[in-house]
Structure formats: C-alpha cells, structure tokens
Amino acid sequence: MRSPYFLTERVTALISSASLDEKWLLFMNPAPCSSLIPRIIAHFPYNYFALVMATGIVSIGCETAGFHSIARALLYLNTLHYALCLILAIAKLITYPTVVWEDLIHSDKGPGYLTMVAGTSVLGVQYNALTTLHSMPNVLMFISISLYMVVIFSLIAGIAMSKDKCSPAQGLDGLWLLCTVSGCSIVVLGMSLRGTAPQLQVLMLTALWSASIMLYFIIIPLIFFKWLFSSVNRKDFSPSWWINMGALAIASLAGVKVLENDHHDLFLAVTPSIITITFFLWAAAAWWLILLLTILVWRTVTRSLNLAYSPGNWSIVFPSGMFAVTTMNVMQYLKVDLPTEWVRVAMVGVLLLWLGFYLWMLASFCKRIKVQ
C-alpha cells in the first residue's frame, strides 16, 4: 500500500535532482502536481530574487538620474516582486524542506540562494532613498543579515562536508560571486541608513566589506582559469558570468559608502588605502564590462546566443545597472563632474534593458499559460 505522502515524495525526488534551468522549466510547465499553486510552490527557483535585485538597482539609478516618477513606480512594483518571491520561498521551505536543504548545499544550485540576501538589501536601499519610512530599511537590514548568516555559512560548510560534489566544470560559474554581492549589498544598505550608526556597526560593516572582497579574489582565479584552460560550450555560456563584473561594481559602491560614513575618522589612517581599493574595484569592473560586451558580440556574430528565457537572465540586468550607479557614486566622491546627459543616457539604456527583459519574462509566462 502506498504511503499517503507518495506524491510529495515523487515531487521531492524530481525537483531535488533538477538543475537551476530545469527547475525553471518545471516551474513553468510542471507535471507531477495536480493543481496550480502546489506546482508553483514545488518548482519555485530561489534565484528568482535576482528580479528584485535588478528592478531595485534600476529604480535607484533612475532616482539618481532625476527620473523620480519612474523610480517610485519601480519601488511599488519591486515591493510586489519581493512579497511574491518571499511567500513562495517560505511556502517551499515549509512544504519541501528536504529539497531546499539539498539545493542549498549543492555547489551548482546553492549560490543562487544568496539572491535572497542581495534582493532584500537592494529593496532596503530603495526604501531608504525613495521614502520616509525609516523603519522599513531597518527591518530589511535585519532580515538581510539573518539570511546572510544562515545561507552563506550553511552553503560553504555544507558543500565542504558533502561527500558528493560537482566537478568544477559543472558547479563553478559566476553565481559563486554572489558571496561577494550579498555581503557588499548589506554594507551598502547599512552605510546608507539615515542617522548616525554606532561605531561598532560601522566597524563590522567595514569588516564584512573586506571579507566579501576576499571571497571575490578567492573565487575569480578559479573562474578565469576555467575560461582559459577548460572547454566552454558557447551555447551554454551562462548570463551568470556577468556577475564577474557586478560583484566588483557593488564592492566599489560599498567602498564609497564606507568612505562617506559618519565615523570617517575611525579609518583616518587607512583612508588612502580604502580610496585606492575602491577605485581599483571600479576600474576592474569596467575592464570586465568591456570583456563581457566583447564576448556578447562574439556570440551574436557566431549565432550561439541562447534565446530561451530563464530567471538567470536578470544576472545581466543587475550588474549593468550596478555599474552605472557605482560609476555615478565613484565619480561624485572623486569630485569628477559627469555631464548630466551622460548619466541620463546611461540610465535610459539600463531602463530599456530592464524593460526588454521584463516583457520577455511576461511573454514567457503568457506562452506557458496558453500552452497549459
């Protein structure tokens, strides 16, 4: 006689063995569950918080460029995105805790969970910049730090202690640099909060910034080695590689926020070093951007672009928006006057990129629903 949990066990076995792209396909067209809501919950990909990250940074950039109405509209939309993603994430954790845990300690899937941390922090920066709700950024800051402590240490410790590991060819990609993005997103939010932060808080956030940079320079040599000395299928060239640039950009922005904090005298002796590191991170991000654009042109010419929509595509939008916002902040700190027209053109370009991907996402949903 079958167990009353037979169906749940089948679904658990199926989604625990699926890759991130396969989870997206199951999310859009899953077969094992009998009704719509259980299907959506069972196959919800946690890396969908990248949508919150992308929408948030575009909103912040629009506010900086003077497009205040658009920035406010994107804030409302992003609040809806975050609420939906959070509800689905919690529902999946309650319904399929084993699947969530197995994915978290999987080297190919686990890093995607860090989008929850970055998405929460970016939304907090939005509320801090666009509203007078002082409590909301603080609540989101608390949630972000809590998620970071749980996810990143469970991820690394769980994979380290796991017997079955992915090969570097399968498990190593730009998603791992979310270790840097998530930590630096907390630094940006914490240093941007209104009011004078306690000296200990500033010290701890600066330490987190340093640790996040450390993780970048541990991971990026492995990625670069894979690019140069391993066979990479051009058609499988993941959008997550754009995080190579985005991680540097947000680390540079976090450096600017460290320099602008109210306890600047705390780091007076090492301020020149912080300025040097911040500019170095921005310059390295610019170098990566040129390389990624070169690869994009190469793939377009060779017709090796993968035109199927997946949540990972937002990994292109967020780094692009982050680089634009970081450039504005770095130049402002260095007292380099950027022409207003340049700033507006850059943000219009990023906004159009976001809009294109958003319409692509909606079209993908509508197509799947029509098929169903």
Side-chain angles (χ1 to χ4, degrees), residues 168-169 172-175 177 220 222-224 226-227 232-233 236-246 288 292 295 299 312 315-316 319:
L172 182 63
D173 65 9
L175 280 177
L177 293 172
I220 198 63
L222 304 176
I223 290 175
F224 208 62
K226 178 182 177 180
W227 274 28
V232 178
N233 189 335
D236 294 334
F237 202 89
S238 171
S240 66
W241 296 117
W242 282 75
I243 307 176
N244 297 3
M245 178 269 291
W288 268 107
L292 290 165
I295 292 173
R299 294 180 67 205
S315 297
I316 298 175

Side-chain angles (χ1 to χ4, degrees), residues 267-280:
F267 306 104
L268 193 59
V270 294
T271 294
S273 298
I274 296 177
I275 294 174
T276 302
I277 292 170
T278 299
F279 183 78
F280 163 75

Side-chain angles (χ1 to χ4, degrees), residues 1-14 32-33 94-99:
M1 182 176 179
R2 287 179 175 176
S3 164
Y5 301 104
F6 173 74
L7 182 59
T8 301
E9 292 168 355
R10 282 186 59 203
V11 176
T12 299
L14 176 63
C33 300
I94 295 172
T95 310
Y96 303 105
T98 303
V99 173

